[in-house]
Amino acid sequence: GLLNSAVDVASLLVPSGSDIVSAQGRGFPGVLYRSTAEPILSPNTKLAVLVNGQTASAAEIVSGAVQDLDVGVIVGPDRTFGKGLVQNVETLPYNTALKYTVAKYYTPSGRCIQSTNYKEGGGLNAEDGGKYQSSKVADKDMKTYFTKNGREVKDGGGVAVDYKVEAQKASALEYTLMRSGVYSDFAAKWSREHQLTNNLDVVTDSTYQKFKSFVMERQRE
């Protein structure tokens, strides 16, 4: 996902003026993103963010902010994916491009959720052909940080869940719908036709019926 979108979503949930995410790197000017809007989430509302091992990048920025600022809990079967890299794309000749890493993302508590370390190879004459080397961040190398209310969290391996629950197995119908992209297409259509307000109870019987009609129309196309 996009960084700006992650900041916008997190701003709807965290107190105004809160740090959401920062980016730091060698030769890269550090940048801090902070919420400047009042959240639509009431302080009395209990928030749970559902994640799994495929939750990555921008979604991890939102999850990390929610967890570090103690505005909600993270629920899922295990840690998130652990993609915390800032990357630029440089256009090259012959209709090609080079994508390279310039910095890493850091959550409000100061932890980096990147789960893999990369190291350049030994050059073209090396036994491995000069390929880059990668390794997972070992448990012993993970550093301890603390949330706003003093809860202990660690870096180096995605966002660890606060409450661990086993993932439910999807039915054949659910798999078919997910693979077709109909969920995201309907969500995009709904967003164009509705404005998000403080009322977060948007999945009503009427919404479900509209979704069924949407799927049936797709089948007839």
Side-chain angles (χ1 to χ4, degrees):
L2 300 175
L3 171 62
N4 289 340
S5 297
V7 174
D8 289 343
V9 171
S11 295
L12 299 175
L13 308 174
V14 304
S16 178
S18 300
D19 293 350
I20 294 177
V21 63
S22 61
Q24 304 172 32
R26 184 178 59 189
F28 179 85
V31 59
L32 172 65
Y33 294 86
R34 182 174 288 151
S35 172
T36 59
E38 291 297 326
I40 65 171
L41 190 69
S42 165
N44 298 323
T45 301
K46 295 181 180 179
L47 173 66
V49 179
L50 305 182
V51 302
N52 59 23
Q54 299 304 310
T55 302
S57 193
E60 289 178 295
I61 291 175
V62 176
S63 301
V66 167
Q67 187 177 61
D68 281 3
L69 298 173
D70 286 310
V71 296
V73 294
I74 310 302
V75 180
D78 209 340
R79 287 180 173 271
T80 59
F81 186 84
K83 183 183 183 301
L85 300 179
V86 183
Q87 295 172 316
N88 284 350
V89 178
E90 195 72 30
T91 303
L92 297 177
Y94 305 107
N95 205 24
T96 61
L98 173 66
K99 189 175 185 180
Y100 58 99
T101 300
V102 295
K104 293 181 179 180
Y105 289 125
Y106 293 84
T107 68
S109 66
R111 57 184 170 139
C112 180
I113 47 120
Q114 176 65 17
S115 63
T116 304
N117 289 324
Y118 295 100
K119 181 181 179 182
E120 63 179 336
L124 296 177
N125 296 325
E127 293 182 359
D128 61 359
K131 296 180 179 178
Y132 69 85
Q133 302 169 20
S134 64
S135 61
K136 289 291 184 181
V137 178
D139 290 345
K140 63 180 180 63
D141 295 327
M142 293 183 180
K143 298 178 182 179
T144 299
Y145 296 83
F146 296 93
T147 68
K148 184 178 180 179
N149 292 341
R151 292 190 299 135
E152 184 177 298
V153 289
K154 292 190 175 182
D155 68 353
V159 177
V161 297
D162 297 306
Y163 293 97
K164 189 171 185 177
V165 295
E166 294 301 322
Q168 294 182 338
K169 293 184 178 180
S171 66
L173 175 60
E174 289 175 299
Y175 274 120
T176 301
L177 292 174
M178 285 189 289
R179 290 173 63 89
S180 70
V182 70
Y183 286 135
S184 57
D185 290 344
F186 179 76
K189 181 177 183 294
W190 187 94
S191 298
R192 289 193 299 268
E193 299 173 351
H194 298 78
Q195 184 175 358
L196 189 62
T197 65
N198 289 339
N199 180 18
L200 301 180
D201 187 17
V202 297
V203 185
T204 62
D205 289 339
S206 174
T207 305
Y208 177 60
Q209 293 301 323
K210 290 179 180 178
F211 174 71
K212 289 174 62 176
S213 299
F214 183 79
V215 174
M216 295 300 293
E217 290 175 8
R218 278 296 181 87
Q219 286 185 318
R220 288 193 290 268
E221 292 179 355

